[in-house]
Amino acid sequence: MLTSRKPRSKTKLSLLDRRILNRLQEDIPFVESPWRSMAAELDIKEDLLLKRIAFFKKKGIIRRISAVFSPGKINFVSTLAAVKAAPGKVGSIARIINTYPEVTHNYRRGGPYDLWFTLVAKNKKNIADIMRRLKKDKNIKKISEFPVVKLFKIDVKFSC
């Protein structure tokens, strides 16, 4: 989601912090105590792992830990959309877009469009309804939809 963030000072990461951050980018074990299992892999205590994760979140190093679903595999549809905003209205438009629970990501970018966001919904009609409502906003100068034609998944991991 689009958020205003003040630049944060760089946080010095220990070797353990880097190991934890690298491990967090892998699958979380689907077991009764996933953090305990992950801590055991890292050869640390579960409470230390949880404290470090809380520290990373507080410092803005990580935003969230969540599941990622493939919409088509659960009979949902998705689309990428882009908005050209009226001057000075990017923030207010972003807040409106973010009110829709179907929005999974919303980013400000340069170029011909100011905001790029993704929608995941039960069907194409739901997406069309959202797009139709957004098109009525006088502060949206242009809105375009880029539905998925073919999905190419890449696995992005950042070496810490």
Side-chain angles (χ1 to χ4, degrees), residues 13-135:
L13 298 174
S14 69
L15 182 58
L16 175 60
D17 288 339
R18 293 175 189 283
R19 287 179 52 228
I20 292 169
L21 288 168
N22 285 327
R23 178 58 187 88
L24 286 171
Q25 294 179 77
E26 303 293 330
D27 290 335
I28 294 176
F30 196 66
V31 295
E32 187 175 338
S33 300
W35 304 120
R36 187 176 311 135
S37 174
M38 191 179 291
E41 289 177 38
L42 293 164
D43 198 28
I44 61 175
K45 300 276 188 205
E46 180 182 22
D47 66 326
L48 176 58
L49 174 62
L50 294 173
K51 284 178 186 172
R52 296 316 297 159
I53 291 171
F55 172 78
F56 300 147
K57 288 181 80 174
K58 179 180 177 185
K59 289 292 188 179
I61 295 168
I62 60 175
R63 288 182 293 192
R64 69 175 177 241
I65 298 172
S66 62
V68 177
F69 297 96
S70 296
K73 295 205 180 211
I74 56 172
N75 295 319
F76 275 56
V77 296
S78 65
T79 196
L80 176 65
V83 164
K84 176 69 180 163
K89 298 298 181 179
V90 173
S92 61
I93 292 169
R95 284 188 291 280
I96 291 166
I97 290 169
N98 291 347
T99 64
Y100 290 94
E102 295 85 356
V103 173
T104 62
H105 299 80
N106 187 6
Y107 296 96
R108 183 169 187 174
R109 294 285 186 247
Y113 293 100
D114 300 298
L115 296 169
W116 288 83
F117 60 98
T118 55
L119 292 166
V120 176
K122 291 181 180 179
N123 54 53
K124 289 179 183 180
K125 181 186 179 310
N126 290 84
I127 288 176
D129 288 345
I130 293 167
M131 295 296 283
R132 191 171 24 263
R133 281 181 278 191
L134 290 171
K135 285 177 182 176

